[in-house]
């Protein structure tokens, strides 16, 4: 009975969004995107699209999303938004991070990406334009992937902090007490595999077109680079997502090492009380700011 009610609610929500979408103006980018997509299908094999297309999407998205945070360190005005202002980025750390990233991307992630084609073939996942889901379906699927990945990340990330295994794997990621965007995927190869597995669970559940693979890659990178950016910038559109953790939440994890284990949302830490130190820290900071303003007046 409960399952039927849930299905009815989802169907009603889908119809409501579809009805609203019918009144929206045509997307001017849709036709160029369609032309580019069909050109890709006509000129490259599915293996090339799934393998090299996925690699290009990942690399371009990753480093483009890192650009704003990288530039912020050279803009004095942006320093007031840096969370740990006493720990600026250094060229030495950024270069070390970049070299490790290249190794992880091409020797750990690329072999996994090479299996994308066989995954799409096994599950009969289409590539054709006519089979591509509407934008609101794609958004919903990415949100579903985020919820699943967040649960996986919370429990496995918390396990990696266990004192018996922390120093062997997860300690690599915590070399940077004050994170920066490019450091999002700076990790031990085993951690890349363990935590990265959560990325694929949602794909197995929701994927009905190869475009979801790329859309979810971009969404996940956008989130993880944002929370590792080290900057809490106002008017960040990601803050509109309900229960979104954000940069301050994850920055505290790097600074404190204990608590705030989830990747995207705050509910798992709230349920298990692993955000208690973060809440206490925020209260302390509020009192400090209040006393500072009181003295100034």
């Amino acid at each position: 009975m409960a399952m039927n009610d849930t299905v009815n609610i989802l169907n009603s929500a889908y119809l409501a969004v579809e009805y609203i979408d019918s009144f929206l103006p045509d997307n001017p980018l849709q036709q160029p995107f369609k032309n580019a997509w069909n050109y890709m299908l006509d000129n490259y094999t599915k293996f090339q699209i799934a393998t090299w297309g996925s690699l290009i999407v990942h690399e371009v998205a990753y480093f483009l999303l890192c650009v704003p945070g990288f530039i912020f360190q050279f803009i004095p005005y942006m320093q007031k938004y840096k969370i740990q202002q006493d720990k600026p980025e250094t060229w030495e750390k950024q270069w070390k991070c970049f070299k490790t990233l290249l190794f992880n991307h091409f020797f750990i992630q690329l072999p996994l990406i090479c299996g994308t084609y066989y995954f799409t073939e096994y599950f009969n996942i289409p590539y054709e334009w006519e089979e591509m889901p509407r934008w609101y379906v794609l958004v919903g699927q990415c949100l579903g992937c985020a919820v699943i990945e967040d649960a996986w990340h919370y429990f496995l990330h918390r396990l990696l902090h266990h004192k018996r295994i922390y120093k062997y794997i997860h300690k690599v990621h915590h070399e940077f007490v004050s994170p920066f965007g490019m450091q999002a995927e700076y990790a031990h190869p085993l951690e890349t595999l363990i935590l990265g597995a959560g990325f694929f669970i949602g794909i197995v559940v929701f994927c009905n077109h190869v475009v979801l693979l790329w859309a979810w890659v971009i969404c996940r990178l956008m989130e993880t680079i944002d929370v590792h950016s080290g900057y809490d910038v106002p008017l960040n559109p990601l803050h509109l997502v309900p229960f979104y953790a954000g940069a301050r939440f994850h920055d505290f994890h790097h600074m404190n090492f204990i608590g705030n284990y989830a990747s995207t949302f705050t509910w798992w830490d709230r349920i298990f009380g692993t955000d208690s130190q973060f809440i206490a820290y925020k209260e302390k900071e509020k009192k400090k700011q209040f006393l500072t303003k009181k003295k100034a007046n």
Side-chain angles (χ1 to χ4, degrees):
M1 185 68 177
M3 180 64 72
N4 290 334
D5 290 341
T6 302
V7 171
N8 289 334
I9 291 171
L10 291 174
N11 285 337
S12 297
Y14 178 85
L15 291 173
V17 174
E18 195 172 45
Y19 179 74
I20 294 171
D21 181 61
S22 66
F23 290 98
L24 296 177
D26 292 337
N27 183 352
L29 299 177
Q30 181 172 329
Q31 191 59 45
F33 180 57
K34 178 181 179 180
N35 294 339
W37 189 270
N38 286 328
Y39 177 86
M40 177 183 71
L41 293 177
D42 292 339
N43 291 274
Y44 300 96
T45 65
K46 286 185 176 182
F47 178 82
Q48 291 172 324
I49 293 169
T51 305
W52 304 117
S54 297
L55 178 67
I56 291 169
V57 167
H58 181 272
E59 296 305 300
V60 171
Y62 191 91
F63 289 105
L64 277 182
L65 290 167
C66 287
V67 168
F70 179 79
I71 294 174
F72 288 167
Q73 65 184 307
F74 304 111
I75 304 175
Y77 176 80
M78 296 303 297
Q79 295 312 300
K80 65 181 180 180
Y81 300 120
K82 183 167 174 58
I83 300 167
Q84 297 187 53
Q85 297 190 5
D86 59 330
K87 296 181 178 67
E89 299 91 338
T90 66
W91 285 108
E92 181 184 3
K93 289 180 179 179
Q94 290 177 101
W95 176 240
K96 181 181 181 181
C97 178
F98 181 72
K99 289 187 293 183
T100 301
L101 281 178
L102 290 183
F103 176 83
N104 284 351
H105 285 184
F106 290 96
F107 291 95
I108 306 298
Q109 295 182 14
L110 180 57
L112 295 176
I113 290 173
C114 286
T116 304
Y117 166 74
Y118 302 101
F119 169 81
T120 60
E121 286 295 292
Y122 182 81
F123 288 101
N124 293 316
I125 295 172
Y127 289 63
E128 291 72 24
W129 173 265
E130 292 74 20
E131 301 293 327
M132 190 177 294
R134 299 296 299 273
W135 65 269
Y136 44 85
V137 175
L138 204 56
V139 170
Q141 289 173 329
C142 286
L143 181 59
C145 288
V147 171
I148 292 172
E149 190 281 333
D150 185 66
W152 176 272
H153 191 101
Y154 175 84
F155 292 104
L156 272 295
H157 182 197
R158 189 173 176 179
L159 178 63
L160 289 176
H161 271 268
H162 192 281
K163 61 183 179 181
R164 291 188 178 180
I165 59 176
Y166 170 79
K167 64 181 179 180
Y168 299 109
I169 301 175
H170 194 51
K171 186 178 179 179
V172 174
H173 185 67
H174 275 278
E175 284 183 24
F176 303 105
V177 177
S178 178
F180 47 91
M182 191 168 58
Q183 188 242 337
E185 290 186 345
Y186 179 89
H188 189 283
L190 277 177
E191 179 173 340
T192 300
L193 295 173
I194 293 168
L195 295 185
F199 172 90
F200 296 100
I201 299 174
I203 293 297
V204 172
V205 174
F206 294 108
C207 196
N208 59 352
H209 195 280
V210 72
V211 74
L212 176 63
L213 290 167
W214 297 351
W216 172 221
V217 164
I218 294 170
C219 288
R220 178 68 178 115
L221 290 179
M222 190 182 304
E223 177 275 325
T224 191
I225 290 170
D226 176 60
V227 301
H228 284 92
S229 67
Y231 290 84
D232 186 17
V233 181
L235 303 179
N236 184 338
L238 288 175
H239 291 165
L240 297 174
V241 178
F243 302 102
Y244 179 67
R248 285 195 179 275
F249 189 85
H250 192 71
D251 200 279
F252 180 80
H253 174 75
H254 278 262
M255 181 176 65
N256 192 60
F257 292 97
I258 298 172
N260 292 15
Y261 298 111
S263 60
T264 306
F265 304 108
T266 57
W267 50 61
W268 287 113
D269 285 286
R270 179 58 54 87
I271 290 170
F272 291 100
T274 46
D275 62 350
S276 58
Q277 293 187 22
F278 177 61
I279 293 171
Y281 172 77
K282 286 198 300 181
E283 290 298 320
K284 184 179 178 180
E285 288 295 303
K286 284 181 182 178
K287 288 180 181 179
K288 188 187 294 185
Q289 292 174 5
F290 175 76
L291 292 174
T292 302
K293 288 181 180 179
K294 191 175 181 180
K295 287 180 180 179
N297 294 332

